[in-house]
Amino acid sequence: PVVPRARGCAGSPEVVPTCERYAVRRLPFGRLADGDVAFFERLLPGRVVTGEEEVKPFNVDWLKSVRGCSQLVLKPQTTAEVSQILRYCHERNLAVSPQGGNTGLVGGSVPVFDEIILSTALMNQIISFDKVSGILVCQAGCVLERLSEYLEEQGFIMPLDLGAKGSCHIGGNVATNAGGLRLLRYGSLRGTVLGLEVVLADGSALDCLTSLRKDNTGYDLKQLFIGSEGTLGVITAVSILCPQKPKAVNVAFLGCQSFAKVLETFTTCRAMLGEILSAYEFMDEKCMELVETHLKLSSPVAGSPFYVLIETSGSNSTHDEEKLNSFLERAMASGLVTDGTVATDDKKIKASHLRERITEALTHDGYVYKYDISLPVGKLYDLVTDMRARLGQSAKNVVGYGHLGDGNLHLNITAESYSHSLLDAIEPFVYEWTARCSGSISAEHGLGFKKRQFIQYSKPREAVVLMQQFKAMLDPKGILNPYKTLPERS
């Protein structure tokens, strides 16, 4: 069931509870009129969506935990059309909610009230690809999996890989600075994105779509928009550096008897595998139980409190397999690992990617409270243990998994249904705990709507004020993705 978030539609109160917890006041934006719809229908013939049922899928997030009540979805195909849309909305003071694949997990991709939804779904063209440099230029609405398939045909891969790759858009990935499974090897989007084309709130287009690896002229403006969650501008095109496709990929799925062993295994793994290590993921036994129960998938290794998925990527299969086997022999002989299996061909590797299916399995377990945290690696699982002790029987399941290689924990708590008292027990405890460990309350999902009021747990007041000043400068009327990312200015 969808939890009510805010009802800013005509005839409803202007101040309402959000998730039965937060009161959100609709800001004084303009109201959509018949003349507005007529203008957009002339601008985008056949690409304007109205009608409650037709708009409904765009109003509800992927988790079905938050929703808005937009009455209009616009589907531009070009940057010029996005520019015209925003220029008009700026003049009319109409709020806009940019939306890509709508796979976000913090309520950042759907409206809060009646914002116009600007969907990039039809901006899905690959503009160019240079096989020498590995630089891809494409529109923001390209689906990540489609880009991956295109690049693999050219002998390259995308530098990021996500469980939502079949639906998410590259523009949304950049706007949220998505992390994913390949960050350990290829770094974050802040390093691999070379240039952006962005339309600002007043409709002016900023063309910083460079394809240069090095450009040291002035401020690096693209970094403002990477991770800004559509609050500073609408990303319309991306230039991104793509690595060559590895000739040899191996995946090992291992069982460990304690989280301390998971950490020791990582230290050994990093030392012995070095340059070919591309992913190091961990998950607890509860995660595997949920995948087996709800998705009917069997784990290749059973009976361990913790599991580790290691991926290597290199250019010489014999060399890589020798290194991996040497590591596995050391790990087994020293008691770090109690059981394991290795996959080397594509079909087996894809079948062993149980880690990607955990999020899906959780959605079948009831209402999910999701937390995406960065912590010092040694403390990563302590939060899961402490949360289990704190919640006891009030939660159905408390599970932990994530990208151990870069200190990213995904803490998930499930219950039969949404509970105000359970949320009270979780928040702000989870953020206070993270702050005490000098962690970040958002490792890769962003702040969106759900976390914006908690930013102070990770950023000093001075930094938040500076962010608000950037927002006021680039979007003085505040029409771009309002109620997201930053707290209201006091």
Side-chain angles (χ1 to χ4, degrees), residues 386-408:
D386 287 358
M387 190 61 78
R388 280 184 184 145
R390 178 178 175 83
L391 300 181
Q393 297 301 309
S394 61
K396 187 175 179 183
N397 280 299
V398 178
V399 306
Y401 64 97
H403 319 295
L404 189 135
D406 47 67
N408 182 184

Side-chain angles (χ1 to χ4, degrees), residues 135-138 192-196 209-211 237-241:
I135 296 170
L136 172 74
V137 181
C138 63
T192 54
V193 170
L194 303 179
L196 295 175
L209 200 61
T210 180
S211 293
V238 177
S239 171
I240 188 167
L241 180 65

Side-chain angles (χ1 to χ4, degrees), residues 40-77:
F40 292 126
E41 286 178 337
R42 289 193 299 272
L43 177 64
L44 309 171
R47 291 176 283 131
V48 174
V49 182
T50 56
E52 186 175 349
E53 286 304 309
E54 291 78 7
V55 175
K56 186 177 179 180
F58 299 90
N59 267 319
V60 182
D61 76 325
W62 184 77
L63 289 174
K64 294 182 170 57
S65 63
V66 290
R67 67 180 172 198
C69 52
S70 177
Q71 302 162 36
L72 183 68
V73 179
L74 305 178
K75 293 186 174 183
Q77 291 178 315

